[in-house]
Amino acid sequence: MTAGEAEEYRKAARDDQRRAQAWQGQVRRIARGLEHEQAAQRDQAKAELREINDPAAVPALVDELAPADQDESNTQARRVHLMNALGQIDATMATDVLLDFATSASSEPVRYAAVQQLKKKPTDEVVPQLLSALEMPVEGSVTVGEVGNEVVSW
C-alpha cells in the first residue's frame, strides 16, 4: 500500500466514523418517537425509519433499537422495527445482525421479521452464514434401502 492509498483509507475511515456518529442522534430521536403516546408521532418515526438505507446507520440502529427493556413487548416491538430497518440496508453488517437475530432471538416475532428481511438478501450472502450457525452435531436419520422386508436405517 502506498502512502497515498494509506491516507485515502484513513480519510475514508474518518468519514465513516463521522457518518456513524451523525446517525446516533437521529436514530435516538426516531426510537423515542416509536414509543410516543401519540399515534401521529409514532407513524412519523416509522416513516423516518423506513427511509434509512445508509450502512453507516447500522451501529446506531442496533445501539438504540436492540437493547432489552423491562417491558418485553417494548423490546419486541423495537427489535421488529430494527429488523425491518436493517432489511433496507445493503451492507454486510446489516445482514450479519439480521442473521444473528434470525438464529438466536428468543422472540418468535423478532426471528420471523429477521427471516423475512433475509429473504430479500442475496442467497450467496445468507445461506453460508445460516449453515455455519447450525449447532453441531446435527442429528438425523437416513434410510439407505430395503433388505427383504426390512428397511436399513442409520
Side-chain angles (χ1 to χ4, degrees):
M1 178 180 287
T2 67
E5 290 172 333
E7 181 55 34
E8 281 184 40
Y9 177 80
R10 284 191 292 274
K11 182 182 181 301
R14 285 190 304 268
D15 290 345
D16 287 347
Q17 187 175 18
R18 275 193 290 271
R19 284 182 26 231
Q21 288 172 345
W23 276 110
Q24 198 70 46
Q26 185 173 352
V27 173
R28 185 173 294 126
R29 181 183 52 74
I30 291 170
R32 283 193 307 265
L34 290 171
E35 296 178 1
H36 201 278
E37 61 187 38
Q38 294 180 358
Q41 294 290 331
R42 290 191 305 271
D43 291 344
Q44 176 64 31
K46 290 174 191 175
E48 289 180 43
L49 197 57
R50 283 191 298 268
E51 292 175 12
I52 298 174
N53 60 9
D54 183 357
V58 172
L61 288 165
V62 172
D63 288 349
E64 294 298 326
L65 299 175
D69 191 318
Q70 289 181 350
D71 182 346
E72 180 61 32
S73 64
N74 282 344
T75 298
Q76 181 176 295
R78 276 197 329 275
R79 289 179 176 174
V80 168
H81 288 303
L82 172 61
M83 299 306 107
N84 293 332
L86 292 173
Q88 302 167 158
I89 299 174
D90 186 22
T92 302
M93 188 185 316
T95 302
D96 289 347
V97 175
L98 286 168
L99 284 162
D100 185 44
F101 276 92
T103 57
S104 65
S106 60
S107 164
E108 184 177 337
V110 174
R111 286 193 313 271
Y112 181 81
V115 168
Q116 293 307 307
Q117 297 306 316
L118 285 169
K119 288 179 179 180
K120 301 175 185 178
K121 303 289 183 179
T123 304
D124 61 337
E125 187 177 317
V126 174
V127 172
Q129 291 183 6
L130 281 174
L131 289 174
S132 70
L134 288 175
E135 293 186 23
M136 294 298 196
V138 175
E139 294 184 22
S141 66
V142 176
T143 300
V144 176
E146 296 179 19
V147 178
N149 292 334
E150 295 182 36
V151 175
V152 179
S153 298
W154 278 282

